[in-house]
Amino acid sequence: MSDVSWDDVRLEFPVAAETVYLDAAAVGPMPNFLRDAAIRAFTERQRPWSDAGVKIRARAQAAFGRFLGVDPGAVVFLANTTDGINAAANALDWQAGDEVVVHDRDFPSNLIPWLRLQGRGVQVRAARSEDGVLTESAIEHELSKRTRLMAVSHVFYQSGFRIDLAALGQRLHRDDILLAVDGIQALGLLQPDLTHVDFYSGAIYKGLCGPFGLGVFYVDPSVADRLTPDRVGYGSLNNPAMPWDGDMPYRAGSQRFQAASVNYPALHAAADMLEYLEAIGFERVTERILELAGRALARLAELEGIRVVTPRDRRSRLGIAAFQVSGLEAEAVAAALSARGVRVAARDGNLRASFHIYNNDDDIDRLVQAVHAVAREERG
Ligand SMILES: Cc1ncc(COP(=O)(O)O)c(C=O)c1O
């Protein structure tokens, strides 16, 4: 399938025939074959004695393992990205005076679980981004001898800026600082380099175009064995005997976080989508998304009164093209674009067009024409 045409891919996504959908960074639209996966999964449940659950969990772990470049046994399924961030934040043995560094404009789910640690005497320091870009020096400014962990999004939801996980992780590990990554804005779109990442959390309803209610969580094996999971159940322990004496021999590695059953129908969707993207070629998918967003950024930058926010350098972005229309509120522009059949998001002062493999150059033309018309109209 590596030679599949993008026109054929587009046909799998009914949304593409209906509207110019540039909002996968909010919710990825479901392709036909994933809707069919749900029917398959629920049909399986009509015979609940089968081992279908065990099989689909293993298949999904294997698919995520290949995408993330990690051991499938280290992949855990939780409810969503936020769930994984909380699992990480609550599992470490925090000491009063420990410090955590966050990105001041990160998505709330990657701030609130860390900020709550202040109640345990942890100090949270915010590295300040400029125009949505978090620089090395802004991070360096907040690091200290007390820093134990930095939490950051791989791709920032508001500006589309992509941080270099390998470089950041290497820098932090030099001082034994852990790196926790919110990966949801890149999951399915770009294989992350997790060599120097300790925690990774995402969900399948954006880039993987799946249903809500399934998160993927990874912990580096060298870290996982030191952690006390905040959620425990029959899946967490090595020894199924009841720990009446309070002694909890947790399962090795990240599986200690897999306390119980998971969302099996959603696992079908995740495995099917990952295998579909893999058959196209993960790198080819990333290339396509980078190209579409790059073309949109270049075209928007040529328009009068438009300020492009997302960095143009390919290594510092992915599928998001964020911009502003001078003198206009982002929400008003997003509503006017929607009325013209172009769906983008307004996020924290920016307009955010986000691209996926079902988009094409016609969508970019329609976006640029609509932005041009709205900007001109509103200026009178
Ligand atoms: C960067 C980022 N993190 C977390 C979330 C929330 O994800 P979830 O619903 O999977 O917890 C979002 C949703 O928009 C997001 O953009």
Side-chain angles (χ1 to χ4, degrees), residues 25-26 80-83 85 106-107 109 153 155 157 182 184-185 202-203 205-206 352:
N80 47 46
T81 316
T82 308
D83 207 15
I85 296 168
D106 215 326
F107 191 83
S109 284
S153 288
V155 171
Y157 80 106
D182 172 339
I184 192 172
Q185 287 293 349
Y205 67 85
K206 295 185 192 281
R352 183 186 72 186

Side-chain angles (χ1 to χ4, degrees), residues 41-42 56 60 64 204 210-214 262-272:
F42 282 102
I56 189 57
F64 276 110
I204 68 163
F212 292 98
L214 182 70
V262 299
N263 183 343
Y264 294 103
L267 286 182
H268 277 267
D272 282 10

Side-chain angles (χ1 to χ4, degrees), residues 121-163:
V122 173
Q123 205 195 328
V124 179
R125 296 172 62 147
R128 308 215 172 278
S129 59
E130 268 176 47
D131 226 7
V133 173
L134 194 54
T135 60
E136 271 173 49
S137 61
I139 294 169
E140 211 59 53
H141 192 256
E142 303 308 325
L143 299 177
S144 83
K145 287 196 164 44
R146 305 300 307 260
T147 314
R148 279 193 70 194
L149 180 144
M150 176 161 184
V152 77
S153 288
H154 189 183
V155 171
F156 292 128
Y157 80 106
Q158 178 249 11
S159 67
F161 168 66
R162 163 155 61 106
I163 204 153

Side-chain angles (χ1 to χ4, degrees), residues 208-226:
L208 289 175
C209 300
F212 292 98
L214 182 70
V216 60
F217 182 56
Y218 160 81
V219 187
D220 183 276
S222 70
V223 175
D225 287 340
R226 290 189 255 140

Side-chain angles (χ1 to χ4, degrees), residues 5-129:
S5 83
W6 295 119
D7 288 343
D8 287 343
V9 168
R10 190 167 165 94
L11 288 175
E12 280 291 340
F13 291 82
V15 75
E18 214 174 286
T19 183
V20 178
Y21 190 75
L22 301 174
D23 206 8
V27 181
M30 200 170 275
N32 288 324
F33 65 88
L34 283 202
R35 187 201 49 196
D36 298 345
I39 294 170
R40 203 167 0 99
F42 282 102
T43 306
E44 258 173 26
R45 279 281 286 104
Q46 293 183 315
R47 291 190 171 65
W49 59 83
S50 81
D51 62 353
V54 175
K55 282 192 182 137
I56 189 57
R57 193 193 299 213
R59 202 182 120 217
Q61 278 183 306
F64 276 110
R66 293 193 300 278
F67 180 80
L68 298 173
V70 301
D71 174 6
V75 173
V76 170
F77 297 113
L78 302 179
N80 47 46
T81 316
T82 308
D83 207 15
I85 296 168
N86 275 282
N90 298 328
L92 286 154
D93 61 332
W94 298 105
Q95 309 295 319
D98 284 347
E99 293 180 7
V100 169
V101 174
V102 296
H103 168 203
D104 66 339
R105 303 293 285 275
D106 215 326
F107 191 83
S109 284
N110 203 22
L111 293 175
I112 294 165
W114 305 111
L115 289 170
R116 195 172 64 154
L117 295 174
Q118 291 174 126
R120 290 166 68 176
V122 173
Q123 205 195 328
V124 179
R125 296 172 62 147
R128 308 215 172 278
S129 59

Side-chain angles (χ1 to χ4, degrees), residues 296-365:
L297 286 168
R299 297 270 309 274
L300 288 166
E302 285 168 4
L303 296 180
E304 204 193 315
I306 305 302
R307 193 173 78 82
V308 157
V309 176
T310 310
R312 299 285 285 278
D313 167 22
R314 288 165 67 93
R315 284 164 310 175
S316 302
R317 61 177 178 82
L318 185 58
I320 289 175
F323 59 99
Q324 295 171 348
V325 180
S326 73
L328 299 181
E329 293 289 335
E331 281 77 11
V333 178
L337 293 176
S338 175
R340 289 169 183 270
V342 176
R343 285 179 189 274
V344 302
R347 288 290 183 276
D348 201 11
N350 287 344
L351 285 144
R352 183 186 72 186
S354 47
F355 291 84
H356 206 306
I357 52 172
Y358 49 80
N359 291 122
N360 65 12
D361 283 335
D362 292 345
D363 293 338
I364 297 174
D365 288 343

